[in-house]
Amino acid sequence: MSLQSQSDNFSILLYASLADPHALAQHDPQLAHDRIRRVLRRLGATVASHQGQLCEQDDDSLSAVFDSAQDAVSAALAFQGTQREYIDMIEDGIEPEIQVGIELGEIALRGGRVSGAATATARRLAQLAGPGGVCISAAIGESLPEQLPIEMKQLNPEQPEGGRRSLEACRVELQNGAELPRPGQPHKARPLQPVSTMRAFNRFLLLLIAAALIFALLSGSG
């Protein structure tokens, strides 16, 4: 997988950001900065080990793209698991917690910066995930293989202000006692399909069934 500058891609986008960076920096700005940098470096390494490609990084966030929904979700959950262990060892209150959102859609990479509808949605998903959480869009959830050992909690659709579309999302966690597939392990995933396509097909199927029932009733009454 390669990202070309000034190109549009239909990709799986992972966006991770530091939860409440301003409060964290109030303790010891330099120490907080160093810890955030190390955390993002570890996250970047986890992304790479799960066949993801880092495409943008700031002081308190990063973005990466994946070919597989399973790889993206596995990378996020694997990182959050090790991050919880790391935070449990911290005793001075400077605990850099990461929130992760994952979306399927179009992105554009121009001049080393990522933009597009998927980017905005992934940011909203990360905010919904909250500190230490992972939140995915409905499209990502429908693209995950059924055997992946995770639990998905459907969130109430977000009704944003400013005319933006509502957002259906799920918070995901690893099942108790379960292990994630090894990076690169073969898997049989469902094909990636935008949610709108799936809904359109379901509506068509329901209309077809309804039409058949009405035809049967009319034929019987005649």
Side-chain angles (χ1 to χ4, degrees):
M1 173 179 56
S2 63
L3 287 177
Q4 300 296 327
S5 180
Q6 297 184 344
S7 64
D8 294 335
N9 301 271
F10 195 75
S11 304
I12 296 164
L13 179 67
L14 179 151
Y15 174 79
S17 63
L18 185 68
D20 201 359
H22 300 295
L24 191 66
Q26 290 178 357
H27 296 273
D28 184 328
Q30 185 58 50
L31 180 57
H33 175 75
D34 292 342
R35 285 187 179 170
I36 293 168
R37 184 174 56 185
R38 289 197 294 269
V39 166
L40 291 178
R41 187 184 302 123
R42 288 195 294 105
L43 177 53
T46 304
V47 164
S49 71
H50 286 76
Q51 286 72 56
Q53 182 172 344
L54 187 66
C55 52
E56 183 180 344
Q57 181 170 338
D58 294 322
D59 291 338
D60 58 4
S61 67
L62 65 76
S63 300
V65 293
F66 292 80
D67 289 330
S68 159
Q70 172 176 312
D71 289 340
V73 172
S74 294
L77 292 176
F79 170 78
Q80 294 290 35
T82 59
Q83 182 66 4
R84 279 191 289 270
E85 296 176 0
Y86 170 71
I87 288 177
D88 287 342
M89 296 187 295
I90 296 176
E91 298 180 351
D92 56 16
I94 305 178
E95 305 171 351
E97 293 191 274
I98 300 295
Q99 50 197 20
V100 180
I102 306 174
E103 167 65 322
L104 166 67
E106 290 187 0
I107 66 169
L109 181 66
R110 295 182 173 85
R113 307 295 293 182
V114 180
S115 61
T119 304
T121 302
R123 290 173 181 267
R124 291 167 62 191
L125 289 167
Q127 292 176 350
L128 290 175
V134 179
C135 196
I136 64 175
S137 67
I140 292 293
E142 291 178 358
S143 304
L144 291 172
E146 295 180 356
Q147 67 269 26
L148 194 62
I150 61 173
E151 296 179 355
M152 294 194 293
K153 179 183 178 182
Q154 184 77 35
L155 303 180
N156 292 328
E158 182 196 17
Q159 301 294 338
E161 298 179 357
R164 294 186 301 175
R165 65 180 178 85
S166 61
L167 178 62
E168 295 183 6
C170 295
R171 185 173 286 113
V172 294
E173 295 180 354
L174 184 65
Q175 294 176 357
N176 288 333
E179 294 184 0
L180 289 166
R182 295 187 305 275
Q185 179 175 327
H187 58 274
K188 185 177 181 181
R190 285 171 282 187
L192 298 179
Q193 298 187 54
V195 178
S196 58
T197 302
M198 297 292 294
R199 287 177 175 170
F201 175 77
N202 290 336
R203 292 193 193 101
F204 174 76
L205 187 60
L206 290 173
L207 289 173
L208 191 62
I209 294 172
L213 291 174
I214 294 173
F215 178 76
L217 290 173
L218 292 176
S219 298
S221 62

